[in-house]
Amino acid sequence: MSALNSNISLNDIVSLLSAKGERQKKLHKSADTITLNSFKGKVWLRGIIEYSNICFKNCYYCGIRKDNNKLKRYRLNGNETVEKAVYAWKSGLGSVLLQSGEERSNLFIESVNNIIKEIKKRTNGELAIVLSMGEQSTKTYKKWFNSGAHRYLLRIESSNKELYEKLHPNDNLHNFNNRLKAVESLKKVGFITGTGIMTGLPGQSKEDIAKDILFIKEREILMSGNGPYIVHKETPLFNSYTNIPDANERVNLTLNMIALLRILMPNINIAATTALDALDKKGRLKALKAGANVIMPNITPTKQKKSYSIYSNKPGINNSLSDNIKNVEEIVKESGKIIAYNEWGDPLQ
Ligand code: SAH
Ligand code: SF4
């Protein structure tokens, strides 16, 4: 494994994505050594607040897509959202991630803007705000950036245009090139920008994932969140569920992808994503030992949490917020790392 360095070839990446047993252990160990060297054993916490499950898009894989009418829709009110962020700050979380379905109405844009400003005010500017609210105009990105949010996550889902188009309706709202442009626009506005993909999608090859990894490197992306695709019954992709790798393999693909990203990009932020735990109780723990340096306790109010059902079997939906934080603290402890409380947790540049 000593041959692994940032010049690793596409073929090697494809091959290592399938690593199992001893070979996988070595891959993860190499990544962990690099992570320890970069982050000195520190792990950053981000509290996730799932602000709204209202979405005007219809991605074929997602449980909160517009056409799923079996779902109770909600949008948190501003005060409640700010209170949860203040709670995160008081709990020493250092940053919050506001995530939601996609809307582009003025009401939505202004509500988010007011929340950003209020959080910054109430936490004396000490809490970092990360957004994941889909594709917006450059004007909206600028507005939110100027109000104090400074990191943004927008997954490209797949860097393969053909595959992307199979996973989304063929219309202007779900346009591959617009998605890529949005990532570039975020960077230009000044956001520390993150992207990522789902692993184990129907029709996705290992070569696709290898190219996703290289895409993230070539575009100089500073944060990456990747997770296994998880079937949701109320989606068009449900019918393809027999054509995907089994749960174990999807977890391994994600873990190996994390390790490869770390080897190629020693200083970026890589999240141990919650979807991993939906398929493997030790999923996030394994990710922290394979290159991830960020973990995200869910601090959405318990009442709404179950309605943010992007995928099935989401872990921790009935837990209290403090339980979710405790749970994450235990995972970090078990990984042998240390939580960096009260730090923003920007990637090392
Ligand atoms: N609406 C925004 C943010 C919320 S969705 C957006 O789409 O960018 C956040 C992420 O959830 C998506 O980027 C997608 O990668 C992931 N996701 C959606 N459906 C999923 C599923 N069935 N399994 C796993 N991840 C899913
Ligand atoms: Fe909406 Fe995001 Fe789900 Fe697509 S992935 S349907 S944009 S919430």
Side-chain angles (χ1 to χ4, degrees):
M1 205 59 58
S2 57
L4 275 188
N5 59 43
S6 54
N7 293 320
I8 175 171
S9 73
L10 181 72
N11 283 347
D12 288 342
I13 296 176
V14 173
S15 157
L16 285 162
L17 280 169
S18 315
K20 291 199 175 71
E22 273 311 303
R23 190 160 169 253
Q24 185 178 38
K25 265 195 205 151
K26 277 188 194 160
L27 172 68
H28 292 193
K29 183 96 195 81
S30 299
D32 195 34
T33 305
I34 296 172
T35 316
L36 281 170
N37 191 35
S38 294
F39 297 95
K40 314 296 172 213
K42 286 204 279 191
V43 172
W44 286 313
L45 304 186
R46 319 236 170 290
I48 305 187
I49 304 173
E50 292 152 341
Y51 172 60
S52 155
N53 71 352
I54 300 169
C55 188
F56 71 173
K57 289 174 80 166
N58 255 323
C59 307
Y60 291 152
Y61 41 81
C62 178
I64 67 171
R65 63 199 300 273
K66 179 171 169 247
D67 286 355
N68 179 8
N69 50 26
K70 299 224 166 117
L71 194 64
K72 194 162 171 266
R73 301 284 169 171
Y74 73 87
R75 192 188 295 128
L76 298 182
N77 78 38
N79 287 341
E80 199 173 11
T81 312
V82 174
E83 285 315 321
K84 293 300 167 224
V86 170
Y87 171 81
W89 174 59
K90 288 188 176 155
S91 309
L93 262 46
S95 68
V96 284
L97 167 66
L98 299 179
Q99 197 185 70
S100 79
E102 202 170 307
E103 288 186 77
R104 293 181 200 157
S105 65
N106 279 339
L107 176 72
F108 177 80
I109 293 164
E110 290 309 321
S111 307
V112 171
N113 200 43
N114 290 335
I115 288 169
I116 297 169
K117 286 200 265 193
E118 194 58 23
I119 293 175
K120 280 289 174 190
K121 198 161 106 200
R122 290 275 306 279
T123 64
N124 307 324
E126 287 173 13
L127 187 71
I129 302 175
V130 193
L131 299 177
S132 175
M133 306 210 145
E135 288 164 58
Q136 303 287 340
S137 66
T138 303
K139 191 170 153 221
T140 302
Y141 286 152
K142 266 189 194 145
K143 183 185 267 265
W144 290 346
F145 183 76
N146 290 336
S147 295
H150 81 286
R151 300 196 299 252
Y152 202 108
L153 289 168
L154 185 73
R155 285 189 180 173
I156 45 156
E157 319 298 359
S158 169
S159 63
N160 177 338
K161 184 167 185 278
E162 241 170 70
L163 178 58
Y164 187 93
E165 287 173 353
K166 284 191 187 137
L167 302 169
H168 299 92
N170 176 17
D171 62 25
N172 252 341
L173 269 187
H174 305 82
N175 180 286
F176 178 73
N177 291 329
N178 288 347
R179 190 89 180 165
L180 299 192
K181 275 188 205 148
V183 171
E184 291 310 310
S185 158
L186 284 165
K187 281 161 61 180
K188 263 192 215 124
V189 166
F191 277 105
I192 297 177
T193 303
T195 196
I197 61 140
M198 283 173 280
T199 58
L201 289 159
Q204 180 190 49
S205 66
K206 298 220 171 77
E207 191 165 330
D208 286 327
I209 302 176
K211 286 183 178 162
D212 295 330
I213 293 173
L214 293 177
F215 173 98
I216 293 168
K217 183 172 167 63
E218 279 152 17
R219 300 273 173 139
E220 299 181 341
I221 293 293
L222 297 174
M223 309 187 287
S224 194
N226 307 283
Y229 162 60
I230 302 173
V231 178
H232 190 294
K233 208 164 168 289
E234 301 301 331
T235 61
L237 228 55
F238 177 65
N239 297 327
S240 313
Y241 76 96
T242 47
N243 284 333
I244 57 171
D246 68 23
N248 192 21
E249 196 168 334
R250 275 176 281 150
V251 169
N252 280 330
L253 274 175
T254 307
L255 295 173
N256 292 348
M257 175 176 186
I258 288 173
L260 287 157
L261 285 169
R262 175 58 70 214
I263 289 162
L264 287 163
M265 287 160 277
N267 292 336
I268 68 167
N269 278 353
I270 302 179
T273 47
T274 313
L276 277 166
D277 273 25
L279 297 185
D280 176 346
K281 283 200 176 78
K282 299 274 179 197
R284 285 187 294 178
L285 172 66
K286 290 177 185 170
L288 285 184
K289 291 171 151 182
N293 67 314
V294 173
I295 188 161
M296 302 180 285
N298 192 319
I299 54 164
T300 308
T302 313
K303 192 165 142 248
Q304 282 89 3
K305 219 179 325 189
K306 64 174 177 312
S307 301
Y308 198 80
S309 51
I310 281 183
Y311 50 81
S312 309
N313 298 327
K314 217 166 128 202
I317 48 169
N318 294 317
N319 291 351
S320 69
L321 313 195
S322 62
D323 281 347
N324 276 344
I325 296 177
K326 255 187 239 142
N327 182 12
V328 155
E329 287 173 331
E330 272 159 27
I331 295 173
V332 177
K333 197 168 160 204
E334 204 178 334
S335 76
K337 312 247 158 113
I338 299 154
I339 294 176
Y341 287 103
N342 300 309
E343 289 188 15
W344 278 16
D346 284 349
L348 313 169
Q349 298 205 30

